[in-house]
Amino acid sequence: MKKHIHYECSQGCPVEAALEVIGGKWKGVTLFHLMQGTKRFNELQREIGSVTQRMLTKQLRELEESGIVNRKIYAVVPPKVEYSLTEKGRTLEPILLALRAWGDEHVLAPSPTDKVDNIGVV
Amino acid sequence: MKKHIHYECSQGCPVEAALEVIGGKWKGVTLFHLMQGTKRFNELQREIGSVTQRMLTKQLRELEESGIVNRKIYAVVPPKVEYSLTEKGRTLEPILLALRAWGDEHVLAPSPTDKVDNIGVV
DNA sequence: CGGTATCCGCGCCGATACTG
DNA sequence: CAGTATCGGCGCGGATACCG
């Protein structure tokens, strides 16, 4: 059995690979808020609004494991943890800005130019 | 009215909104392949490689509903269905290209500059 | 060829309770 | 404050069979 076709996209497709990093349920928003600077856990949770503590923790851990987010623990009482983008994470900024612009224009404020061009049945 | 965002991201966050459109499990790859031009169903399935018929259908339907993808049915035997990007879909091209570039550089071919900068414990 | 229909396991995710 | 532990519903998504 030889694999003559294109590369299996599930393994080597760079678009999928990128989306697996930022495509998690709360990762987009989280990253976007971290673009504004270092944030504490509570700060993030408050700003995102509807994320549960459990999920925010999970998403942040995964982002950390992807090398996108840095977790800084202060050994103080009460505990203080700060999250920030790593160098690698900052390379995502243009993409996040592009996503925001696109979402703004084509989802949140659908313009008449976004109407379905045609539905073809021949 | 000025947008004083800093509230509930779950409803009005444009980044999330955009990711909900392209973030489906197979949507990224699918859209990327459709950037190369109009494709038939089988063609897409073969190129993506590991997607099941059921899932590809589902993802394409959702993309269609989002106004991103056009479905053109030819009334012939055997059946022939062609998928293509709509005008709105084509506005995603720069984002898809950026995602591919990022995935290539930072996921598929991790460079030494992507090493964790530091893990801070103060 | 390009789909539905159906079954079903698994893991996501919310809710809640507890902790250092 | 910033988590972890545990339970449980339910929807995602694979496998399979069938259809126009």
Side-chain angles (χ1 to χ4, degrees):
Chain A
M1 213 47 131
K2 25 181 98 174
K3 297 193 173 181
H4 250 269
I5 41 175
H6 298 220
Y7 294 108
E8 294 280 325
C9 252
S10 52
Q11 299 160 3
C13 179
V15 178
E16 272 308 302
L19 282 176
E20 267 169 32
V21 172
I22 67 168
K25 192 173 187 195
W26 305 98
K27 288 180 186 171
V29 223
T30 304
L31 290 173
F32 191 75
H33 281 285
L34 286 180
M35 274 181 57
Q36 299 165 14
T38 297
K39 308 246 173 174
R40 297 185 60 169
F41 186 86
N42 261 6
E43 206 172 348
L44 274 174
Q45 191 177 13
R46 194 174 51 252
E47 286 177 7
I48 297 179
S50 50
V51 70
T52 62
Q53 194 172 42
R54 173 188 150 85
M55 280 315 293
L56 183 55
T57 302
K58 202 161 158 278
Q59 303 283 294
L60 283 167
R61 289 291 184 283
E62 288 177 19
L63 290 170
E64 198 188 350
E65 203 161 340
S66 302
I68 298 301
V69 156
N70 207 346
R71 182 161 174 254
K72 193 169 180 180
I73 308 167
Y74 294 86
V76 296
V77 182
K80 175 178 174 183
V81 179
E82 281 183 349
Y83 293 93
S84 57
L85 292 184
T86 61
E87 276 296 326
K88 187 175 172 183
R90 257 173 258 124
T91 64
L92 280 169
E93 289 185 350
I95 292 182
L96 292 169
L97 290 171
L99 284 172
R100 181 183 64 165
W102 193 90
D104 258 333
E105 183 170 350
H106 298 281
V107 185
L108 301 187
S111 65
T113 55
D114 273 345
K115 289 302 164 203
V116 208
D117 16 348
N118 67 353
I119 300 178
V121 180
V122 182
Chain B
M1 120 180 142
K2 278 277 188 175
K3 280 197 168 180
H4 184 308
I5 323 177
H6 226 278
Y7 234 52
E8 297 279 322
C9 248
S10 53
Q11 297 162 5
C13 179
V15 178
E16 271 308 300
L19 282 176
E20 267 170 33
V21 173
I22 67 170
K25 191 172 188 195
W26 303 99
K27 288 179 186 171
V29 225
T30 304
L31 289 173
F32 190 75
H33 282 286
L34 285 179
M35 274 181 57
Q36 299 165 14
T38 297
K39 308 246 174 175
R40 298 185 58 171
F41 185 88
N42 263 3
E43 207 173 345
L44 274 175
Q45 191 175 13
R46 193 173 52 253
E47 286 177 8
I48 297 180
S50 49
V51 69
T52 61
Q53 194 173 39
R54 173 187 149 85
M55 280 316 292
L56 183 54
T57 302
K58 201 161 159 280
Q59 303 283 296
L60 283 168
R61 288 292 185 283
E62 289 177 19
L63 290 170
E64 198 188 349
E65 204 161 340
S66 302
I68 298 301
V69 155
N70 208 346
R71 183 164 175 250
K72 193 170 180 180
I73 308 166
Y74 294 87
V76 295
V77 183
K80 177 180 175 182
V81 179
E82 281 184 349
Y83 293 92
S84 58
L85 293 183
T86 61
E87 275 296 324
K88 186 175 171 183
R90 255 172 258 124
T91 64
L92 281 170
E93 289 185 352
I95 292 182
L96 293 168
L97 290 170
L99 284 171
R100 181 183 64 167
W102 193 89
D104 259 332
E105 184 169 350
H106 298 282
V107 185
L108 302 186
S111 67
T113 54
D114 274 343
K115 287 306 163 202
V116 209
D117 16 346
N118 68 352
I119 300 178
V121 179
V122 181

